[in-house]
Amino acid sequence: MDKPKNRIKEVLEEKGIKQMWLADKLGKSFCTVNFYVYNRQQPSVDVLFQIANIL
């Protein structure tokens, strides 16, 4: 079975945005954003809305 695609990772790559930049805009650590990007941790709905607004 295919692993679900991670849209955060896809959009960052499409726009040429670094995880560190997103972490700074969210006020989160690089590690936290990296966990979101690689599906190790799921962001809350509030954080998802923040990410959507930023991207």
Coordinates of all heavy atoms in Angstrom, one line a residue:
M1 N 0.8 -1.2 0.0 CA 0.0 0.0 0.0 C 0.9 1.3 0.0 O 1.9 1.3 0.7 CB -0.9 0.0 1.2 CG -1.8 1.2 1.3 SD -3.0 1.1 2.7 CE -4.3 0.3 1.9
D2 N 0.6 2.2 -0.8 CA 1.3 3.4 -0.9 C 1.1 4.3 0.3 O 0.0 4.4 0.9 CB 0.9 4.3 -2.1 CG 1.3 3.6 -3.4 OD1 2.3 2.9 -3.4 OD2 0.7 3.9 -4.5
K3 N 2.2 4.9 0.7 CA 2.2 5.9 1.9 C 1.5 7.1 1.4 O 1.7 7.6 0.3 CB 3.6 6.2 2.3 CG 3.7 6.9 3.6 CD 5.1 7.0 4.0 CE 5.2 7.7 5.3 NZ 6.6 7.8 5.8
P4 N 0.6 7.7 2.2 CA -0.1 8.9 1.8 C 0.9 10.1 1.5 O 1.9 10.2 2.2 CB -1.0 9.3 3.0 CG -0.5 8.5 4.1 CD 0.2 7.3 3.6
K5 N 0.6 10.9 0.5 CA 1.5 12.0 0.2 C 1.4 13.1 1.2 O 0.3 13.3 1.8 CB 1.1 12.5 -1.2 CG 1.4 11.6 -2.3 CD 1.3 12.3 -3.6 CE 1.8 11.4 -4.7 NZ 2.1 12.0 -5.9
N6 N 2.4 13.7 1.4 CA 2.5 14.8 2.4 C 2.5 16.1 1.6 O 3.4 16.5 0.9 CB 3.7 14.8 3.2 CG 3.7 15.8 4.3 OD1 3.4 17.0 4.1 ND2 4.1 15.4 5.5
R7 N 1.3 16.8 1.7 CA 1.2 18.1 0.9 C 2.1 19.2 1.4 O 2.5 20.0 0.6 CB -0.3 18.6 0.9 CG -1.2 17.9 0.0 CD -0.8 18.1 -1.5 NE -1.0 19.5 -1.9 CZ -0.4 20.1 -2.9 NH1 0.5 19.5 -3.6 NH2 -0.6 21.3 -3.1
I8 N 2.4 19.2 2.7 CA 3.3 20.2 3.2 C 4.7 20.1 2.5 O 5.2 21.1 2.0 CB 3.5 20.1 4.7 CG1 2.2 20.3 5.4 CG2 4.5 21.1 5.2 CD1 2.2 20.0 6.9
K9 N 5.2 18.9 2.4 CA 6.4 18.6 1.7 C 6.4 19.0 0.3 O 7.3 19.7 -0.2 CB 6.8 17.2 1.9 CG 8.2 16.9 1.3 CD 8.5 15.4 1.5 CE 9.9 15.1 0.9 NZ 10.3 13.7 1.0
E10 N 5.3 18.6 -0.4 CA 5.1 18.9 -1.8 C 5.1 20.4 -2.1 O 5.8 20.9 -3.0 CB 3.8 18.3 -2.4 CG 3.9 16.8 -2.5 CD 2.6 16.3 -3.0 OE1 1.6 17.0 -3.3 OE2 2.5 15.0 -3.2
V11 N 4.3 21.2 -1.3 CA 4.2 22.6 -1.5 C 5.5 23.3 -1.2 O 5.9 24.2 -1.9 CB 3.1 23.2 -0.6 CG1 3.0 24.7 -0.7 CG2 1.7 22.7 -1.1
L12 N 6.2 22.9 -0.1 CA 7.5 23.5 0.2 C 8.5 23.3 -1.0 O 9.2 24.2 -1.5 CB 8.2 22.9 1.4 CG 7.5 23.3 2.7 CD1 8.1 22.5 3.9 CD2 7.6 24.7 3.0
E13 N 8.5 22.1 -1.6 CA 9.4 21.8 -2.7 C 8.9 22.6 -4.0 O 9.8 23.2 -4.7 CB 9.4 20.3 -3.0 CG 10.1 19.5 -2.0 CD 10.0 18.0 -2.2 OE1 9.3 17.6 -3.1 OE2 10.6 17.3 -1.4
E14 N 7.6 22.7 -4.2 CA 7.1 23.4 -5.4 C 7.5 24.9 -5.3 O 7.8 25.5 -6.3 CB 5.6 23.3 -5.5 CG 5.1 22.0 -5.9 CD 3.6 21.8 -5.7 OE1 2.9 22.8 -5.4 OE2 3.1 20.7 -5.9
K15 N 7.4 25.5 -4.1 CA 7.7 26.9 -4.0 C 9.1 27.2 -3.6 O 9.5 28.4 -3.5 CB 6.8 27.5 -2.9 CG 5.3 27.4 -3.3 CD 4.4 28.1 -2.3 CE 3.0 28.1 -2.8 NZ 2.3 29.3 -2.4
G16 N 9.9 26.2 -3.5 CA 11.4 26.4 -3.1 C 11.5 27.0 -1.7 O 12.5 27.8 -1.5
I17 N 10.7 26.6 -0.8 CA 10.7 27.1 0.5 C 11.4 26.1 1.5 O 11.1 24.9 1.4 CB 9.3 27.4 1.1 CG1 8.6 28.6 0.2 CG2 9.3 27.8 2.5 CD1 7.2 28.8 0.5
K18 N 12.2 26.6 2.3 CA 13.0 25.8 3.3 C 12.1 25.5 4.5 O 11.4 26.4 4.9 CB 14.3 26.4 3.7 CG 15.2 26.7 2.5 CD 15.8 25.5 2.0 CE 16.8 25.8 0.9 NZ 17.2 24.7 0.1
Q19 N 12.3 24.4 5.1 CA 11.6 24.1 6.4 C 12.0 25.1 7.5 O 11.1 25.4 8.3 CB 12.0 22.7 6.8 CG 11.5 21.6 6.0 CD 11.9 20.2 6.5 OE1 11.8 19.9 7.7 NE2 12.3 19.4 5.6
M20 N 13.2 25.5 7.5 CA 13.6 26.5 8.5 C 12.8 27.8 8.4 O 12.4 28.4 9.4 CB 15.1 26.8 8.4 CG 15.7 27.4 9.6 SD 15.7 26.4 11.0 CE 15.4 27.6 12.3
W21 N 12.6 28.2 7.2 CA 11.8 29.4 6.9 C 10.4 29.3 7.5 O 9.8 30.1 8.2 CB 11.7 29.8 5.5 CG 11.0 31.0 5.1 CD1 11.4 32.3 5.1 CD2 9.6 31.1 4.8 NE1 10.4 33.2 4.8 CE2 9.3 32.4 4.6 CE3 8.6 30.1 4.6 CZ2 8.0 32.9 4.2 CZ3 7.3 30.6 4.3 CH2 7.0 31.9 4.1
L22 N 9.8 28.1 7.2 CA 8.4 27.8 7.7 C 8.4 27.7 9.2 O 7.5 28.3 9.8 CB 7.9 26.5 7.0 CG 6.5 26.1 7.5 CD1 5.4 27.2 7.1 CD2 6.1 24.8 6.8
A23 N 9.4 27.1 9.8 CA 9.5 27.0 11.2 C 9.5 28.4 11.8 O 8.8 28.7 12.8 CB 10.7 26.2 11.6
D24 N 10.3 29.3 11.3 CA 10.4 30.6 11.8 C 9.0 31.4 11.7 O 8.6 32.0 12.6 CB 11.5 31.4 11.0 CG 11.7 32.8 11.5 OD1 12.0 33.0 12.7 OD2 11.6 33.8 10.7
K25 N 8.4 31.2 10.6 CA 7.0 31.9 10.4 C 6.0 31.3 11.4 O 5.1 32.1 11.8 CB 6.6 31.7 8.9 CG 7.4 32.4 7.9 CD 7.3 33.9 8.1 CE 8.1 34.7 7.0 NZ 8.1 36.1 7.3
L26 N 6.1 30.0 11.7 CA 5.1 29.4 12.6 C 5.5 29.6 14.1 O 4.7 29.4 14.9 CB 5.1 27.9 12.3 CG 4.4 27.4 11.1 CD1 4.6 25.9 10.9 CD2 2.9 27.7 11.1
G27 N 6.7 30.0 14.3 CA 7.2 30.1 15.7 C 7.4 28.7 16.3 O 7.2 28.5 17.5
K28 N 7.8 27.8 15.5 CA 8.0 26.4 15.9 C 9.5 26.1 15.6 O 10.2 26.7 14.8 CB 7.1 25.4 15.1 CG 5.7 25.7 15.2 CD 5.0 24.8 16.2 CE 3.5 25.1 16.2 NZ 3.0 24.9 17.5
S29 N 10.0 25.0 16.2 CA 11.3 24.6 16.0 C 11.4 23.9 14.6 O 10.4 23.4 14.1 CB 11.8 23.6 17.1 OG 11.1 22.4 16.9
F30 N 12.6 23.9 14.1 CA 12.9 23.1 12.9 C 12.5 21.7 13.0 O 11.9 21.1 12.1 CB 14.4 23.2 12.5 CG 14.7 22.3 11.3 CD1 14.5 22.7 10.0 CD2 15.3 21.1 11.6 CE1 14.8 21.8 9.0 CE2 15.6 20.2 10.5 CZ 15.3 20.6 9.2
C31 N 12.8 21.1 14.2 CA 12.5 19.7 14.4 C 11.0 19.4 14.3 O 10.6 18.4 13.7 CB 13.0 19.2 15.8 SG 14.8 19.1 15.8
T32 N 10.2 20.3 14.9 CA 8.7 20.1 14.8 C 8.2 20.2 13.4 O 7.4 19.3 12.9 CB 8.0 21.2 15.7 OG1 8.4 21.1 17.0 CG2 6.5 21.1 15.6
V33 N 8.7 21.2 12.6 CA 8.3 21.3 11.2 C 8.8 20.0 10.4 O 8.1 19.5 9.6 CB 8.8 22.6 10.6 CG1 8.6 22.6 9.1 CG2 8.1 23.8 11.2
N34 N 10.0 19.6 10.7 CA 10.5 18.4 10.0 C 9.6 17.2 10.3 O 9.4 16.4 9.4 CB 12.0 18.2 10.5 CG 12.6 17.1 9.7 OD1 12.6 15.9 10.2 ND2 13.2 17.4 8.6
F35 N 9.2 17.1 11.5 CA 8.3 16.0 11.9 C 7.0 16.1 11.1 O 6.4 15.0 10.6 CB 7.9 16.0 13.4 CG 9.0 15.4 14.3 CD1 10.3 15.2 13.9 CD2 8.7 15.0 15.6 CE1 11.2 14.6 14.7 CE2 9.6 14.4 16.4 CZ 10.9 14.2 16.0
Y36 N 6.4 17.3 10.9 CA 5.3 17.5 10.1 C 5.5 17.0 8.6 O 4.7 16.3 8.0 CB 4.8 18.9 10.0 CG 4.4 19.5 11.3 CD1 4.4 20.9 11.5 CD2 4.0 18.8 12.4 CE1 4.0 21.5 12.7 CE2 3.6 19.3 13.6 CZ 3.6 20.7 13.7 OH 3.2 21.3 14.9
V37 N 6.7 17.5 8.1 CA 7.0 17.3 6.7 C 7.2 15.8 6.4 O 6.8 15.3 5.3 CB 8.3 18.0 6.3 CG1 8.9 17.6 5.0 CG2 8.0 19.5 6.3
Y38 N 7.8 15.0 7.3 CA 8.0 13.6 7.1 C 7.0 12.7 7.8 O 7.3 11.5 8.0 CB 9.5 13.3 7.5 CG 10.4 13.9 6.5 CD1 11.1 15.1 6.8 CD2 10.6 13.2 5.3 CE1 11.9 15.6 5.8 CE2 11.5 13.8 4.3 CZ 12.1 15.0 4.6 OH 12.9 15.5 3.6
N39 N 5.8 13.2 8.2 CA 4.7 12.5 8.7 C 5.1 11.7 10.0 O 4.5 10.7 10.3 CB 4.2 11.5 7.7 CG 3.3 12.1 6.7 OD1 2.7 13.1 6.9 ND2 3.4 11.6 5.5
R40 N 6.0 12.3 10.8 CA 6.3 11.7 12.1 C 5.4 12.2 13.2 O 5.2 11.6 14.2 CB 7.8 12.0 12.5 CG 8.8 11.3 11.6 CD 10.2 11.5 12.0 NE 11.1 11.2 11.0 CZ 11.9 12.1 10.4 NH1 11.9 13.4 10.8 NH2 12.7 11.8 9.4
Q41 N 4.8 13.3 12.9 CA 3.9 14.0 13.8 C 2.9 14.7 13.0 O 3.2 15.3 12.0 CB 4.6 14.9 14.7 CG 3.8 15.6 15.8 CD 4.6 16.5 16.6 OE1 5.9 16.5 16.7 NE2 4.0 17.4 17.4
Q42 N 1.6 14.8 13.4 CA 0.6 15.5 12.7 C 0.3 16.8 13.4 O 0.2 16.9 14.6 CB -0.7 14.7 12.6 CG -0.6 13.4 11.8 CD -0.2 13.7 10.4 OE1 -0.8 14.5 9.7 NE2 0.8 13.0 9.9
P43 N 0.3 17.9 12.6 CA 0.0 19.2 13.2 C -1.4 19.3 13.6 O -2.3 18.6 13.0 CB 0.3 20.2 12.1 CG 0.3 19.4 10.8 CD 0.6 18.0 11.2
S44 N -1.7 20.1 14.6 CA -3.1 20.3 15.0 C -3.8 21.1 13.8 O -3.2 21.6 12.9 CB -3.2 21.2 16.2 OG -2.7 22.5 16.0
V45 N -5.1 21.1 13.9 CA -5.9 21.8 12.9 C -5.6 23.2 12.9 O -5.4 23.8 11.8 CB -7.4 21.6 13.1 CG1 -8.3 22.4 12.2 CG2 -7.8 20.1 13.0
D46 N -5.4 23.9 14.0 CA -5.0 25.3 14.1 C -3.6 25.5 13.4 O -3.5 26.5 12.6 CB -4.9 25.8 15.5 CG -6.2 25.9 16.2 OD1 -7.2 26.0 15.5 OD2 -6.2 25.9 17.4
V47 N -2.7 24.6 13.6 CA -1.4 24.7 12.9 C -1.5 24.5 11.4 O -0.9 25.2 10.6 CB -0.3 23.8 13.6 CG1 1.0 23.8 12.8 CG2 -0.1 24.2 15.0
L48 N -2.4 23.6 11.0 CA -2.6 23.4 9.6 C -3.1 24.6 8.9 O -2.7 25.0 7.8 CB -3.6 22.2 9.4 CG -3.0 20.8 9.5 CD1 -4.1 19.8 9.4 CD2 -1.9 20.5 8.4
F49 N -4.1 25.3 9.6 CA -4.6 26.6 9.0 C -3.5 27.6 9.0 O -3.4 28.4 8.0 CB -5.8 27.1 9.9 CG -7.1 26.5 9.5 CD1 -7.7 25.6 10.4 CD2 -7.7 26.7 8.3 CE1 -8.9 25.1 10.0 CE2 -8.9 26.2 7.9 CZ -9.5 25.3 8.8
Q50 N -2.6 27.7 10.0 CA -1.5 28.6 9.9 C -0.6 28.3 8.7 O -0.2 29.2 8.0 CB -0.7 28.6 11.2 CG -1.4 29.2 12.4 CD -0.5 29.0 13.7 OE1 0.1 28.0 13.9 NE2 -0.5 30.0 14.5
I51 N -0.3 27.0 8.6 CA 0.6 26.6 7.4 C 0.0 27.0 6.1 O 0.6 27.5 5.2 CB 0.9 25.1 7.5 CG1 1.8 24.8 8.7 CG2 1.6 24.6 6.2 CD1 2.0 23.3 9.0
A52 N -1.3 26.7 6.0 CA -2.1 27.0 4.7 C -2.0 28.5 4.5 O -1.8 28.9 3.3 CB -3.5 26.5 4.8
N53 N -2.2 29.3 5.5 CA -2.2 30.8 5.3 C -0.8 31.3 4.9 O -0.7 32.2 4.1 CB -2.7 31.5 6.5 CG -4.2 31.4 6.7 OD1 -4.9 31.3 5.7 ND2 -4.6 31.4 7.9
I54 N 0.2 30.7 5.5 CA 1.6 31.1 5.2 C 2.0 30.7 3.8 O 2.6 31.5 3.0 CB 2.6 30.5 6.2 CG1 2.4 31.1 7.6 CG2 4.0 30.6 5.8 CD1 3.0 30.4 8.7
L55 N 1.6 29.5 3.4 CA 2.0 29.0 2.1 C 1.1 29.4 1.0 O 1.4 29.3 -0.2 CB 2.1 27.4 2.1 CG 3.2 26.9 3.1 CD1 3.2 25.4 3.1 CD2 4.6 27.4 2.7

